[in-house]
Amino acid sequence: MDSRLGDRPCYEFGEFRLDANRRVIEEFAANRRLLLPPRVFDAALYFVRHRGLLLSKERLLAELWPGMVVEENSLSQVVSLLRRALGESRRDNRYIVTVPRRGYRFVAEVVRVTSRASERAPGSPTVEVLSFDHWSMSSDDERLAAGIAECIRHRLAGGRDFRLVVPAAHGHLREGAGKHDALFRIEGSVQRAGPRLRITARLVDATDDTLVWSQLFDHSADGHFDIEDKVARRVATAVRNVVAWTARQSA
């Protein structure tokens, strides 16, 4: 085991947590474990430990089948099974990018934590997702704003390093929230200009209203489900990164 990673290394990426010691990958939103053959798990672990690097096929073959002679087709099958388990198609490229004739690159953001964090402490940060504002009279925009917030809640459900709380009526913070925990608030807005939409998502430290993270999403007005998934996926990653950073600073 790599001593630099602490006693029980874990890696979080997208909506997944990989525990190197327990040799499991868990999906946050679905609250389930992925059932992976041992070599597919080994490939996932090697990818996350070398995030952003171009890994040649020769290097991967040597790491996954040490001392053995195997064909490249075996590596292709392992990568294909891993992509399928992560819900990624070959053209999706959220996690694994194929570099033709050279190898593969793992491109998702990876946060390294310890598996001790998987047991949620009583003082874990609280995260609340408020309803997004919509600045038009369109009922479609109203449904989209509500759908984005609900999709973010779905992707954050089951997070073990923070507590996800249900918003009070009308999306306002409850009285007393944030007095005892390092509470974060997710909010945003939906704007329309003809056939185009601009969605703003923000992560705010509710103890002092400091803006921690923000991102704009420009999108055509069609394909609401695609918009919801895109925004929710990015917000969920930002929340986990910020919570992990906060935990490291307070350790």
Side-chain angles (χ1 to χ4, degrees):
M1 181 180 64
D2 190 341
S3 60
R4 295 172 300 169
L5 304 180
D7 60 338
R8 301 188 68 186
C10 286
Y11 303 87
E12 293 184 356
F13 57 94
E15 54 261 42
F16 299 99
R17 177 198 291 266
L18 184 153
D19 189 319
N21 270 21
R22 294 165 56 217
R23 292 185 61 83
V24 297
I25 297 179
E26 298 172 317
E27 184 178 5
F28 291 107
N31 195 25
R32 68 182 181 95
R33 292 182 181 178
L34 305 186
L35 300 177
L36 300 177
R39 191 158 277 119
V40 176
F41 179 87
D42 290 340
L45 179 58
Y46 197 76
F47 273 128
V48 299
R49 281 180 167 172
H50 298 84
R51 185 261 175 195
L53 298 180
L54 174 58
L55 303 176
S56 68
K57 295 179 180 179
E58 293 77 15
R59 178 175 176 178
L60 289 168
L61 287 169
E63 291 289 341
L64 299 178
W65 289 272
M68 301 174 61
V69 178
V70 296
E71 298 180 354
E72 285 188 7
N73 184 56
S74 297
L75 177 60
S76 298
Q77 291 178 2
V78 166
V79 173
S80 177
L81 288 172
L82 179 56
R83 278 183 166 135
R84 190 182 310 166
L86 299 178
E88 178 184 67
S89 67
R90 187 180 180 87
R91 298 179 180 179
D92 193 356
N93 293 337
R94 279 182 294 151
Y95 301 109
I96 302 170
V97 172
T98 300
V99 181
R101 296 183 296 279
R102 297 186 64 186
Y104 302 93
R105 179 181 283 114
F106 194 82
V107 296
E109 295 182 33
V110 177
V111 177
R112 191 175 69 197
V113 296
T114 63
S115 59
R116 281 194 299 262
S118 64
E119 298 180 1
R120 184 162 44 197
S124 298
T126 299
V127 178
E128 185 157 15
V129 184
L130 303 186
S131 297
F132 276 41
D133 294 326
H134 58 96
W135 300 338
S136 77
M137 300 301 293
S138 170
S139 59
D140 285 345
D141 291 354
E142 181 178 4
R143 286 192 293 269
L144 175 61
I148 291 173
E150 192 60 30
C151 195
I152 293 172
R153 294 184 192 111
H154 174 73
R155 284 191 172 270
L156 291 176
R160 294 177 178 175
D161 296 336
F162 54 85
R163 289 178 289 145
L164 182 66
V165 296
V166 178
H170 309 300
H172 297 303
L173 289 173
R174 290 184 300 276
E175 183 179 355
K179 290 184 177 180
H180 305 291
D181 295 334
L183 183 140
F184 294 101
R185 183 173 74 241
I186 299 170
E187 59 188 30
S189 63
V190 176
Q191 303 176 64
R192 175 185 291 271
R196 303 292 299 176
L197 292 172
R198 169 164 289 182
I199 296 96
T200 304
R202 295 182 295 274
L203 178 62
V204 178
D205 184 337
T207 61
D208 57 8
D209 287 329
T210 299
L211 182 62
V212 178
W213 172 88
S214 180
Q215 185 165 339
L216 294 175
F217 302 85
D218 290 323
H219 207 284
S220 60
D222 56 342
H224 279 196
F225 289 160
D226 291 339
I227 299 172
E228 293 173 10
D229 287 341
K230 178 180 179 181
V231 176
R233 185 165 58 244
R234 188 65 189 90
V235 170
T237 298
V239 169
R240 294 189 183 106
N241 289 346
V242 168
V243 169
W245 181 87
T246 301
R248 289 196 298 270
Q249 297 303 305
S250 60

